[in-house]
């Protein structure tokens, strides 16, 4: 690949990759969306769709929770697409390399986090000297460094890796090439196993069983199963609605205290909140980014030493799910406002409130937005992408953008308007739990559809008996359809549960071994 082409694609990859933490977490870097974009740029949209959709399934359920850094699906999806197209449009090449690439991306992120720590300390010194605007300049510096790390690693992977992969693929023995293709069909079982672990298979297994019957026996597609499962979840909710309404009761009253901040100030917080994650580091996580988002409001509320003290206070340790930042910002800026107006609110109380909100909001955000919204929309889109349908990226990105924008905007407004009463009301009413349960029902049934359709484990032996050919795989499927894909997923699920630290790597190695040795021994 030429130098100029490598540079252009690397810059676009870096721009897409930076969004995951740097400017919004709006999901445009997910494999099912970014893979087709890279494929389109390289003149092979179909390969981009197939690789992006398959890698999305492989990494389904693999999300960074808290401060963890799992193999990176975003970089894996894009780089795998590049390498697949560079090898002559061989999708299996990109798919089989995806997980190792995702592991490599962990080190890129760790490098960026350490650079961010140095930048955060440099910002601290400037703030102590009274320069509160250093928050903005250093937050933007973190964003630039993140873009730079991704751009450099993308360029090296494209310029040096694409030619190397093409040469390597051409000299591989035929059984290894075929084995890699078979392994690529097995690898989605890793993502499915992670999903089952995340969605509590032990409790919700019955809905997986229903989904299995609908796909394996009735041959319903993923979309029809999703519609049916939504109906089931709504029916269960409706049957318990009367009891739930008695639990909720009451009304959340707006805080009628005196105000300084306007709606425009809150909109500013909302817009700036998209950049909160750019400064992520392992000392104070998102503290600098949190302060960056609310800094204009703090400058309106305080002056002089009070502003300096408030700025330092809001660069303390902070972490939550990206979509939940805004609720916490709304609540805490309302407290800052009342403190500025002379209310008896201690600085420590504001910090304690922020700390107390981090846990429940992060827990809900990680389980619902990552585990349900991204997973279900990703499943629909991946199913379409693997079939080469060009609307797949839109099916994924449109609902995710709508959720992102609405939750963040109204989170800011309602957090400010109702304060901590809003959080407590939602927590006590159990609405969130019911919503997650309903989404899990949908997720379980859709996962069954994904296993049936996209985990490929087929036996190859053919026997002759009384001049008739007996295909072993057909015999098994005639008794229990799709038994082998489900057995593979359950095996991977057991491994991931038993070895939580290394389970993904064990299942990856097992996928390669099953594919290559299965072909070599004429089993798969």
């Amino acid at each position: 690949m030429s130098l100029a082409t490598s540079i252009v694609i690397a810059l676009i990859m870096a721009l897409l990759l930076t969004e995951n933490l740097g400017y919004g977490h709006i999901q445009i870097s997910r494999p099912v969306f970014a893979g087709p974009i890279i494929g389109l740029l390289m003149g092979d949209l179909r390969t981009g769709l197939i690789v992006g959709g398959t890698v999305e399934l492989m990494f389904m359920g693999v999300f960074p929770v808290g401060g963890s850094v799992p193999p990176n699906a975003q970089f894996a999806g894009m780089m795998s697409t590049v390498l697949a197209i560079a090898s002559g449009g061989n999708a299996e090449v990109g798919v089989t390399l995806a997980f190792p690439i995702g592991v490599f991306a962990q080190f890129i992120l760790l490098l960026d986090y350490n650079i961010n720590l140095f930048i955060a300390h440099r910002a601290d010194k400037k703030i102590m000297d009274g320069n509160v605007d250093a928050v903005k300049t250093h937050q933007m510096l973190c964003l630039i460094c993140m873009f730079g790390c991704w751009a450099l690693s993308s360029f090296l992977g494209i310029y040096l890796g694409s030619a190397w992969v093409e040469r390597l693929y051409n000299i591989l023995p035929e059984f290894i090439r075929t084995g890699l293709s078979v392994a690529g069909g097995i690898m989605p079982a890793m993502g499915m196993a992670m999903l089952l672990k995340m969605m509590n298979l032990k409790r919700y297994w019955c809905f997986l069983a229903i989904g299995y019957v609908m796909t394996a026996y009735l041959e319903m597609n993923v979309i029809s199963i999703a519609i049916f499962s939504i109906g089931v979840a709504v029916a269960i909710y409706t049957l318990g609605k009367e009891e739930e309404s008695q639990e909720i009761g009451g009304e959340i009253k707006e805080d009628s205290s005196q105000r300084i901040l306007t709606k425009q100030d809150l909109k500013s917080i909302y817009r700036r909140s998209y950049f909160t994650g750019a400064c992520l580091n392992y000392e104070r996580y998102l503290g600098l980014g949190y302060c960056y988002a609310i800094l204009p409001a703090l400058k309106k509320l305080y002056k002089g030493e009070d502003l300096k003290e408030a700025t330092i206070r809001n660069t303390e340790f902070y972490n939550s799910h990206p979509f939940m930042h805004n609720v916490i910002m709304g609540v805490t800026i309302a407290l800052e406002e009342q403190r500025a107006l002379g209310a008896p609110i201690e600085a420590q109380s504001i910090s304690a409130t922020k700390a107390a909100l981090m846990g429940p909001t992060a827990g809900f955000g990680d389980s619902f937005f990552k585990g349900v919204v991204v997973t279900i929309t990703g499943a629909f889109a991946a199913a379409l992408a693997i079939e080469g349908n060009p609307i797949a990226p839109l099916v994924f990105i449109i609902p995710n953008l709508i959720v992102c924008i609405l939750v963040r905007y109204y989170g800011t407004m309602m957090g400010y308007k109702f304060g901590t009463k809003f959080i407590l009301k939602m927590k006590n009413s159990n609405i969130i739990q019911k919503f997650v349960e309903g989404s899990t029902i949908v997720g379980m049934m859709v996962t069954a559809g994904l296993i049936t359709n996209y985990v490929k484990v087929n036996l190859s032996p053919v026997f002759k008996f009384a001049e008739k050919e007996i295909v072993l795989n057909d015999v098994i499927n005639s008794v229990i359809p799709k038994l082998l894909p489900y057995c593979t997923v359950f095996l991977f699920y057991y491994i991931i549960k038993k070895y939580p630290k290394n389970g993904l790597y064990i299942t990856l190695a097992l996928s390669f071994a099953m594919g290559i040795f299965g072909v070599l021994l004429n089993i798969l």
Side-chain angles (χ1 to χ4, degrees):
M1 191 176 295
S2 69
L3 178 63
T5 303
S6 299
I7 291 173
V8 171
I9 295 175
L11 291 175
I12 293 171
M13 281 181 61
L15 186 64
L16 291 169
L17 287 161
T18 302
E19 73 79 26
N20 188 40
L21 287 170
Y23 61 88
H25 202 70
I26 54 179
Q27 308 304 329
I28 62 172
S29 60
R30 289 297 301 182
V32 75
F33 184 84
I37 297 296
I38 300 301
L40 187 63
L41 289 170
M42 297 183 70
D44 192 347
L45 175 61
R46 182 172 179 80
T47 299
L49 286 163
I50 294 171
V51 174
T54 306
V55 174
E56 185 71 38
L57 292 179
M58 286 172 57
F59 283 85
M60 208 160 269
V62 182
F63 296 108
V65 177
S68 65
V69 186
N72 188 270
Q74 290 83 354
F75 188 71
M78 284 182 252
M79 188 58 69
S80 296
T81 302
V82 171
L83 298 180
I85 295 172
S87 69
N90 297 293
E92 64 271 16
V93 173
V95 170
T96 52
L97 289 174
F99 208 88
I101 292 170
V103 172
F104 168 73
Q106 291 176 291
F107 298 101
I108 302 171
L109 285 170
L110 290 171
L111 171 63
D112 179 64
Y113 296 169
N114 282 285
I115 294 172
N116 286 346
L117 181 58
F118 169 77
I119 295 172
H121 285 172
R122 191 169 180 271
D124 291 341
K125 294 178 182 179
K126 298 286 185 180
I127 296 168
M128 291 299 294
D129 292 336
N131 180 13
V132 296
D133 289 326
V135 171
K136 177 182 177 180
T137 55
H138 287 74
Q139 180 71 5
M140 292 299 103
L141 184 59
C142 288
L143 185 65
I144 292 168
C145 287
M146 180 180 291
F147 178 85
C149 286
W150 284 128
L152 179 60
S153 54
S154 298
F155 170 74
L156 293 174
I158 295 166
Y159 189 64
L160 302 177
S162 56
W164 178 81
V165 167
E166 183 177 11
R167 288 195 299 268
L168 178 62
Y169 184 76
N170 289 332
I171 64 173
L172 285 176
E174 184 61 30
F175 82 90
I176 293 183
R177 290 192 195 186
T178 307
L180 291 177
S181 180
V182 172
I186 295 171
M187 284 180 183
M190 297 163 55
M192 301 302 102
M194 283 296 297
L195 275 180
L196 295 181
K197 177 176 177 287
M198 185 171 60
M199 291 191 293
N200 193 355
L201 176 63
K202 187 175 181 180
R203 180 176 181 183
Y204 294 98
W205 66 268
C206 55
F207 296 103
L208 182 74
I210 294 171
Y212 165 70
V213 171
M214 294 171 69
T215 53
Y217 284 93
L218 303 180
E219 298 183 353
M220 295 174 64
N221 61 31
V222 174
I223 294 176
S224 61
I225 292 170
I227 295 171
F228 179 83
S229 60
I230 290 170
V232 170
V234 171
I236 292 172
Y237 169 76
T238 303
L239 291 173
K241 191 173 182 181
E242 183 177 346
E243 179 183 349
E244 182 67 21
S245 63
Q246 292 175 359
E247 286 181 21
I248 296 174
E251 181 183 354
I252 310 174
K253 294 184 179 179
E254 179 180 351
D255 189 343
S256 58
S257 306
Q258 186 180 350
R259 302 293 195 186
I260 296 175
L261 300 176
T262 65
K263 191 170 185 178
Q264 292 304 314
D265 296 319
L266 298 179
K267 286 182 178 180
S268 173
I269 293 173
Y270 157 72
R271 290 190 296 268
R272 293 166 72 100
S273 71
Y274 282 89
F275 299 93
T276 302
C279 65
L280 180 59
N281 62 78
Y282 280 135
E283 183 179 284
R284 281 174 290 168
Y285 280 66
L286 308 177
L288 185 66
Y290 184 91
C291 187
Y292 165 79
I294 66 172
L295 184 61
L298 292 178
K299 291 170 75 173
K300 189 170 183 178
L301 296 174
Y302 299 109
K303 303 296 179 186
E305 285 297 313
D306 289 338
L307 174 59
K308 175 181 168 182
E309 185 268 338
T311 303
I312 294 171
R313 178 170 67 249
N314 283 288
T315 58
E316 295 170 347
F317 176 92
Y318 169 77
N319 191 33
S320 187
H321 183 274
F323 290 5
M324 302 306 291
H325 295 330
N326 301 73
V327 174
I328 300 175
M329 290 172 183
V331 171
T332 55
I333 202 64
L335 293 174
E336 293 282 7
E337 183 180 46
Q338 294 308 306
R339 175 176 166 80
L341 286 167
I345 299 175
E346 297 292 331
Q348 293 85 348
S349 299
I350 299 174
S351 296
T353 299
K354 182 171 71 172
L357 293 176
M358 284 190 275
T361 55
F364 172 68
D366 287 338
S367 63
F368 180 69
F369 295 115
K370 290 180 182 177
V372 177
V373 177
V374 174
T375 296
I376 292 178
T377 55
F380 288 145
L384 295 171
I386 290 172
E387 295 170 0
N389 194 324
I391 71 166
L394 297 179
V395 169
F396 173 75
I397 201 63
I398 290 173
N400 276 282
L401 280 176
I402 291 171
V403 170
C404 173
I405 292 169
L406 293 180
V407 170
R408 299 184 87 144
Y409 179 81
Y410 287 104
T412 306
M413 300 302 168
M414 296 182 74
Y416 173 77
K417 192 174 181 180
F418 299 115
T420 54
K421 289 179 285 187
F422 174 66
I423 301 291
L424 292 172
K425 194 68 178 177
M426 293 295 290
K427 186 176 179 181
N428 293 336
S429 68
N430 211 26
I431 291 176
I432 292 175
Q433 182 61 31
K434 293 294 183 185
F435 202 60
V436 172
E437 286 178 357
S439 301
T440 303
I441 292 170
V442 176
M444 274 291 178
M445 296 177 73
V446 169
T447 299
L450 296 174
I451 296 171
T452 299
N453 289 290
Y454 300 110
V455 178
K456 309 293 185 184
V457 186
N458 298 308
L459 298 176
S460 62
V462 178
F463 304 100
K464 285 190 176 182
F465 183 76
E467 297 184 356
K468 288 185 65 177
E469 285 191 346
I470 299 175
V471 180
L472 182 58
N473 198 71
D474 292 345
V475 172
I476 294 173
N477 283 335
S478 67
V479 179
I480 306 178
K482 300 294 182 179
L483 175 64
L484 294 177
Y486 279 85
C487 287
T488 304
V489 170
F490 291 139
L491 172 63
F492 285 8
Y493 169 79
Y494 171 78
I495 292 171
I496 290 169
K497 286 276 288 184
K498 186 171 179 64
Y499 306 101
K501 289 186 177 180
N502 300 312
L504 277 174
Y505 305 103
I506 296 171
T507 56
L508 173 66
L510 193 55
S511 298
F512 279 117
M514 288 172 65
I516 294 173
F517 289 106
V519 170
L520 181 63
L521 300 174
N522 199 30
I523 296 172
L524 299 177

